[in-house]
Amino acid sequence: MSNENHSNETTNDTLDLLMRHASVRKYQDRPVAEETLAAIIGAAQMASTSSNVQAYSVIAVDDPKQKAQLSALSGNQAYIEECPVFLIWCADLYRLQETAGPQLEDGGTFDTTENFIVATVDAALAAQNAAVAAESLGLGIVYIGGVRNNIAELSELLGLPERVYPVFGMCLGYPEGESGIRPRLPLEGVLHRGRYDQEKTAAQVAIYDEVSREYMLKRSGGKMDTPWSAMMAKRFAEPSRMQMKDFLLSKGFMKR
């Protein structure tokens, strides 16, 4: 097989789009049309879902006052206020509990850790479909884990019932300028063959540390050259959002 044919088989518009992904933190003052939002959420709905449970919901916020409140609860990230639409992706077992639960004599298994995982994964898969759909239409996104900073207050603001929790937020809008593409770990750093290969882990991270260091030097104009492993050491030095376990239990998740 020629190199040309091989190249054609591993490159197409979808792959090109995926490989150009970059988080967008600056947005044009341009609204997202309702039909555009509907198309993006429609694409999200076609994501894979465990046993077709579709255990997620999305809350779209475009009111400036509410976005400001959400920003304050999420680390005062300005792009939450600046983006035209802020989406909150929620794991949702409430809908199933309310509709399927009454058909079960013992009330069902909506409180198990397994179904918590199912709902969380469903929300993540749907959101990533939405991200790709948005980028295919010329929009950009950035995920916001900060919605879990003050999760109880934010959930109350959004009126989230029992067995619904915000997994993450997503800013959505038309990009203002170009966003740099952050390099990822080498393919062999994440792709294992047949079984987990512990021996190659450190070597692959060492390769990525150098790539990451060069990227940070360029991005910061020579002011920062911290390698990835050092950034991760700082990230995992102290626990964060330690309220999560108690909050999730209070919402009826992971009871068993």
Side-chain angles (χ1 to χ4, degrees):
M1 180 180 294
S2 71
N3 290 334
E4 182 179 354
N5 289 337
H6 179 70
S7 176
N8 290 339
E9 290 179 0
T10 57
T11 303
N12 58 38
D13 290 345
T14 301
L15 289 171
D16 288 345
L17 176 67
L18 291 168
M19 297 303 290
R20 292 196 307 271
H21 168 74
S23 295
V24 173
R25 294 179 174 86
K26 291 185 180 298
Y27 297 92
Q28 299 177 32
D29 184 16
R30 175 183 173 187
V32 176
E34 189 61 32
E35 57 267 28
T36 301
L37 178 61
I40 290 169
I41 301 303
Q45 288 188 268
M46 296 308 296
S48 296
T49 168
S50 179
S51 300
N52 200 33
V53 297
Q54 303 175 73
Y56 64 91
S57 289
V58 192
I59 299 175
V61 178
D62 57 12
D63 175 70
K65 181 179 179 181
Q66 190 177 10
K67 285 192 295 178
Q69 292 173 306
L70 292 169
S71 176
L73 292 170
S74 304
N76 293 305
Q77 298 181 67
Y79 23 95
I80 296 176
E81 295 186 65
E82 295 167 0
C83 69
V85 181
F86 187 52
L87 303 176
I88 301 92
W89 294 86
C90 302
D92 183 355
L93 292 172
Y94 173 81
R95 177 169 56 239
L96 291 159
Q97 176 182 271
E98 290 297 297
T99 55
Q103 303 176 50
L104 303 170
E105 291 185 4
D106 63 357
T109 60
F110 305 104
D111 61 348
T112 66
T113 298
E114 167 63 11
N115 283 328
F116 163 78
I117 294 172
V118 164
T120 302
V121 171
D122 263 15
L125 293 175
Q128 189 59 18
N129 253 32
V132 175
E135 291 174 352
S136 77
L137 295 171
L139 290 88
I141 67 101
V142 62
Y143 284 101
I144 306 293
V147 299
R148 302 189 301 276
N149 287 1
N150 298 282
I151 194 166
E153 295 90 337
L154 186 137
S155 296
E156 183 176 355
L157 176 63
L158 297 174
L160 302 186
E162 182 184 42
R163 300 212 166 96
V164 178
Y165 89 95
V167 184
F168 43 69
M170 176 189 284
C171 294
L172 176 68
Y174 293 92
E176 180 68 57
E178 294 290 329
S179 297
I181 299 175
R182 187 187 293 267
R184 299 299 202 239
L185 282 159
L187 180 67
E188 290 301 316
V190 298
L191 176 61
H192 300 262
R193 301 174 190 275
R195 58 180 289 145
Y196 197 99
D197 185 351
Q198 299 179 53
E199 294 184 1
K200 72 176 183 179
T201 297
Q204 293 298 319
V205 169
I207 293 170
Y208 185 55
D209 270 349
E210 183 58 26
V211 173
S212 177
R213 189 186 70 80
E214 292 176 3
Y215 169 79
M216 293 307 299
L217 272 171
K218 183 177 180 180
R219 177 176 172 176
S220 66
K223 298 178 181 178
M224 183 178 178
D225 65 349
T226 310
W228 179 76
S229 61
M231 288 188 283
M232 293 302 102
K234 182 178 180 180
R235 167 67 177 76
F236 287 94
E238 298 291 339
S240 63
R241 300 172 186 145
M242 293 298 287
Q243 76 279 16
M244 283 298 303
K245 183 177 180 180
D246 287 343
F247 172 79
L248 290 169
L249 288 170
S250 75
K251 296 291 276 187
F253 291 104
M254 301 188 303
K255 296 287 188 179
R256 48 187 168 135

